[in-house]
């Protein structure tokens, strides 16, 4: 018995709310001084998390997403996730290798712009094709569990670039 699209959307929103609370608790526990930390130190955990976004490329593999989801959407999601992963790898490498603050900040801008562009593309397809009412397999786990900490991390890096 399948849930209606509105019930699926409700369940997803509850799951994402729990993910939000969990993310806030874990960040306060694991990174209590992150807002006051040096820029490179503060953004490193976000970059490390995003290095694994290449996993999103699995959406183009047969059987990973509902056939009702367009191939165009699958390809755009895969390309966006790969682009974010590459920029995260570059940012992490720059931080770990001790690049100058200016170089790290420039790569952080590239990372944030890539993330926000990818987010806009994904949300366009997510809403238009009503992903919450499709068979998504393990992709659902990434959407619900990891999207919240990733998006919060992206906005945190943007905040650190603009404000601090």
């Amino acid at each position: 018995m399948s849930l209606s699209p509105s019930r699926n959307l409700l369940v997803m929103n509850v799951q994402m709310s729990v993910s939000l609370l969990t993310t806030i608790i874990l960040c306060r526990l694991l990174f209590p001084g992150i807002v006051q930390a040096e820029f490179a130190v503060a953004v490193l955990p976000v970059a490390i998390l995003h290095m694994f976004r290449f996993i999103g490329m699995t959406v183009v593999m047969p059987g990973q997403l509902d056939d009702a989801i367009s191939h165009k959407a699958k390809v755009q999601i895969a390309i966006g996730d790969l682009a974010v992963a590459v920029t995260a790898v570059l940012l992490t490498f720059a931080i770990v290798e001790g690049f100058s603050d200016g170089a790290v900040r420039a790569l952080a801008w590239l990372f944030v712009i890539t993330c926000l562009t990818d987010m806009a593309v994904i949300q366009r397809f997510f809403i238009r094709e009503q992903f919450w009412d499709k068979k998504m397999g393990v992709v659902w786990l990434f959407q619900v569990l990891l999207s919240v900490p990733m998006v919060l991390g992206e906005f945190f890096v943007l905040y650190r670039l603009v404000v601090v």
Side-chain angles (χ1 to χ4, degrees):
M1 182 175 186
S2 175
L3 293 176
S4 70
S6 62
R7 287 188 183 158
N8 288 349
L9 190 55
L10 174 64
V11 168
M12 185 188 74
N13 284 321
V14 169
Q15 290 173 323
M16 294 191 80
S17 296
V18 172
S19 180
L20 174 63
L21 291 173
T22 304
T23 300
I24 291 169
I25 291 167
L26 285 174
C27 284
R28 289 186 57 109
L29 176 69
L30 299 174
F31 310 109
I34 198 164
V35 175
Q36 292 83 22
E38 178 184 322
F39 181 78
V41 172
V43 302
L44 184 59
V46 177
I48 289 171
L49 177 64
H50 280 75
M51 286 194 306
F52 296 96
R53 284 279 294 273
F54 70 89
I55 295 169
M57 294 180 65
T58 59
V59 300
V60 294
M61 296 172 71
Q64 294 300 310
L65 287 181
D66 199 318
D67 289 337
I69 296 173
S70 72
H71 181 69
K72 181 179 179 180
K74 294 174 188 176
V75 168
Q76 288 292 324
I77 291 167
I79 290 170
D81 283 344
L82 179 60
V84 169
V86 168
T87 60
V89 167
L90 291 172
L91 177 57
T92 303
F93 180 77
I95 292 168
V96 169
E97 291 300 316
F99 284 30
S100 70
D101 187 60
V104 170
R105 286 180 177 274
L107 287 170
W109 273 111
L110 178 64
F111 168 74
V112 166
I113 290 167
T114 304
C115 287
L116 295 178
T117 302
D118 179 54
M119 186 187 339
V121 169
I122 288 172
Q123 290 311 311
R124 188 180 99 215
F125 285 115
F126 189 82
I127 292 167
R128 184 173 57 187
E129 300 197 24
Q130 297 183 348
F131 276 39
W132 60 86
D133 196 37
K134 305 287 192 272
K135 295 176 187 169
M136 291 177 58
V138 77
V139 176
W140 189 259
L141 174 67
F142 295 124
Q143 175 65 28
V144 171
L145 180 64
L146 296 178
S147 67
V148 173
M150 287 190 176
V151 170
L152 286 177
E154 294 161 13
F155 281 104
F156 174 71
V157 174
L158 180 62
Y159 166 77
R160 287 299 306 259
L161 283 167
V162 174
V163 176
V164 180

